[in-house]
Amino acid sequence: MSLKTWLMTGLLALGAKNASAQDAPVPQPDGDSPLKEVKTLEIKPNLEDSASVAPWQNVQETDTSEIKQKPAVDISKVAKKEQDWAKSDIGQETINAYRDAVESLLPNNKVTKLNTEDVFFLRLLYEQTDSCIGSYPNSTLEYDPRDLLEMDTGELGAKKAAIARQFRKTRKNGKYQCTVMAKQVEGMTCRLPEDMLDIERAYQMEAGYKNSPNHSIREVKNGFTDTQYSPEGLIWIDRKGNTPSGHIFPAGNGDEMRSVIIDGKKYDYPLSVQYSDYLYGFNSTGRRGSKQHYGKPCLVADNEYKIGMYTRLRELGNPAVEEYRHFTPLAKEADVSEFVDLSPKKMYQQFTKNKQTLLTKFNCDNNGKPKLITEMRQINWIKERGGWGSGKAKKSYKRVNQSRRGGNRRA
């Protein structure tokens, strides 16, 4: 059977699966209601933004007493010098993260055993890769729930959420207030580039963030349902859709606790809420009122936010998958497992490419180390009475100085 025939067969089979999945009902809460009016009793994929429910097959909301562990990866053929590391707690965690990362990118590519070369490069990846999201430039990876649950926004994320809580309103007061809130949060943490001061509409902030040296943007795999897993301080942009301006909000930790099992591991997390112009609850569908719907959301992370080993390996493996699908359009949705190399060695090669990209894209210090954050404008937000309107928003910013900062660096 030729490659083209094989791929077409896979695409037809996948299409039949997706058609049956789209018949499933989905909850439809009002996406523009205050927190107390939003109820989400169950987690289901947003079928208006996702072609299939397949990404959710390993995700379930539960307090389950039974957690099924995946079989251990066989390392019996690994040389003694690498086997000691592979048997350690860190080695086992890295191996499991690699297995899960590969199977998330290519579900039919099962990792069952490793050789000495595999373990050698996994150890190098653990020791050398940076956990900062800004160290993975030009990324096209769609983040899944595990990526979000293992992300650490640290003190900066907590500070952003605290600022949003402090300045949120108790009622609506004029247009484009969610955009002003985002500027408030970024300005008070010295993260807002000056060329974003004039932006008024929420959906336009995406273009501003793409040009920011301080931020990274990622898509999410399951659309609005994934925003519930957001760590505090992460910025979310709901694209325009058929709304006038779209929506933007810093995420915060709500009072409701939930649990989910992913890849045999239980995660307890607070259901995320929206610190917008005033407090909104988790919006699982992207609806605004009864007739409007936002476009698919994306997340904005500060470059120094930390990502887990699972996400780092997915970031390093995804370019190989996307490269193959770019040159083989028929393989966009078909199984391409046997054609794509996602070995630890291949991931390490991508890691070295990333380093070179960072050296080219950003300024370097005298030691040749990349500066992930090159220029940060120190901006203070001066709160003025009635200063929430778009006309007064720019006047409320004062740039007090300009500095350069190295940010998180790595060799």
Side-chain angles (χ1 to χ4, degrees):
M1 182 183 295
S2 68
L3 173 61
K4 180 177 180 180
T5 303
W6 181 86
L7 290 173
M8 286 297 294
T9 303
L11 283 170
L12 290 173
L14 184 67
K17 179 179 180 182
N18 290 345
S20 61
Q22 291 177 349
D23 292 334
V26 294
Q28 300 293 332
D30 184 347
D32 206 25
S33 299
L35 176 62
K36 63 181 181 181
E37 297 177 7
V38 176
K39 297 180 180 179
T40 52
L41 301 179
E42 57 183 341
I43 302 177
K44 290 186 179 180
N46 179 8
L47 299 183
E48 293 178 336
D49 286 328
S50 303
S52 171
V53 298
W56 283 82
Q57 289 178 347
N58 68 336
V59 182
Q60 47 188 313
E61 183 189 23
T62 180
D63 58 2
T64 110
S65 55
E66 295 184 6
I67 299 179
K68 295 181 180 179
Q69 298 291 344
K70 292 186 177 181
V73 178
D74 182 8
I75 57 171
S76 60
K77 300 280 178 82
V78 175
K80 180 67 167 61
K81 61 180 180 179
E82 298 297 344
Q83 200 171 87
D84 290 341
W85 178 84
K87 289 180 178 179
S88 68
D89 291 342
I90 291 175
Q92 285 294 299
E93 290 177 8
T94 306
I95 289 172
N96 290 337
Y98 169 71
R99 174 197 60 202
D100 297 339
V102 170
E103 293 179 6
S104 73
L105 295 171
L106 297 173
N108 291 321
N109 191 338
K110 303 300 180 183
V111 177
T112 59
K113 57 184 177 180
L114 299 175
N115 57 35
T116 301
E117 181 182 81
D118 293 332
V119 174
F120 170 75
F121 281 106
L122 278 178
R123 179 171 58 81
L124 293 186
L125 288 167
Y126 170 78
E127 294 172 351
Q128 297 182 21
T129 54
D130 193 354
S131 62
C132 297
I133 192 171
S135 294
Y136 302 85
N138 307 322
S139 173
T140 60
L141 179 66
E142 292 184 326
Y143 275 29
D144 63 22
R146 181 171 172 179
D147 296 315
L148 294 170
L149 289 166
E150 294 184 356
M151 183 183 295
D152 181 8
T153 57
E155 293 182 3
L156 178 58
K159 184 176 182 180
K160 286 189 171 186
I163 292 170
R165 283 195 300 271
Q166 177 186 353
F167 286 93
R168 74 178 188 269
K169 295 295 185 179
T170 56
R171 61 182 176 85
K172 293 183 178 178
N173 183 20
K175 295 181 179 180
Y176 317 136
Q177 300 307 291
C178 63
T179 308
V180 177
M181 172 61 87
K183 292 180 182 179
Q184 170 88 315
V185 168
E186 300 290 20
M188 291 190 71
T189 51
C190 306
R191 311 297 296 167
L192 187 69
E194 190 173 16
D195 60 4
M196 290 178 69
L197 292 178
D198 291 329
I199 296 177
E200 292 186 351
R201 297 179 182 268
Y203 73 90
Q204 295 172 335
M205 291 287 282
E206 181 179 358
Y209 276 120
K210 283 183 177 178
N211 295 324
S212 168
N214 298 330
H215 300 93
S216 296
I217 295 180
R218 296 291 186 273
E219 302 291 335
V220 285
K221 199 169 189 67
N222 305 300
F224 293 95
T225 51
D226 280 351
T227 62
Q228 66 181 301
Y229 303 107
S230 177
E232 64 176 353
L234 205 63
I235 303 293
W236 289 86
I237 299 175
D238 294 342
R239 295 178 172 112
K240 186 176 180 181
N242 67 348
T243 69
S245 303
H247 185 43
I248 186 170
F249 62 92
N253 293 333
D255 295 330
E256 180 183 345
M257 291 298 299
R258 289 188 173 184
S259 62
V260 64
I261 291 179
I262 306 176
D263 295 327
K265 182 178 180 180
K266 182 179 178 181
Y267 295 85
D268 296 315
Y269 65 97
L271 184 65
S272 181
V273 296
Q274 304 181 23
Y275 288 131
S276 184
D277 44 354
Y278 69 110
L279 183 61
Y280 292 88
F282 159 57
N283 184 346
S284 65
T285 65
R287 289 191 179 278
R288 182 181 187 271
S290 60
K291 296 182 179 180
Q292 295 180 347
H293 198 286
Y294 296 118
K296 189 174 182 179
C298 64
L299 65 88
V300 180
D302 286 80
N303 280 343
E304 61 262 53
Y305 285 174
K306 308 294 185 181
I307 54 178
M309 193 68 201
Y310 165 80
T311 309
R312 287 148 64 182
L313 294 173
R314 274 167 41 83
E315 288 278 18
L316 294 173
N318 189 59
V321 178
E322 291 300 310
E323 181 181 17
Y324 184 84
R325 287 177 171 161
H326 175 74
F327 291 107
T328 315
L330 287 174
K332 184 62 180 176
E333 299 295 340
D335 175 29
V336 296
S337 300
E338 62 180 287
F339 306 107
V340 179
D341 180 10
L342 291 185
S343 65
K345 181 178 181 179
K346 179 68 175 181
M347 289 183 176
Y348 190 82
Q349 291 171 344
Q350 182 61 44
F351 162 66
T352 59
K353 288 181 181 179
N354 283 0
K355 287 184 65 175
Q356 186 58 47
T357 299
L358 290 169
L359 288 167
T360 303
K361 184 176 182 180
F362 299 112
N363 295 333
C364 301
D365 62 19
N366 294 332
N367 295 322
K369 297 179 180 179
K371 294 183 177 181
L372 303 182
I373 302 169
T374 58
E375 182 175 292
M376 187 165 61
R377 300 184 183 277
Q378 306 289 332
I379 304 172
N380 286 345
W381 172 275
I382 309 300
K383 186 168 183 273
E384 298 175 350
R385 180 175 297 177
W388 281 84
S390 59
K392 294 185 179 181
K394 183 177 180 181
K395 296 178 183 178
S396 298
Y397 286 95
K398 289 187 178 180
R399 180 160 58 106
V400 294
N401 59 55
Q402 182 173 316
S403 64
R404 291 187 174 274
R405 170 180 165 183
N408 293 280
R409 301 172 178 174
R410 57 185 170 81

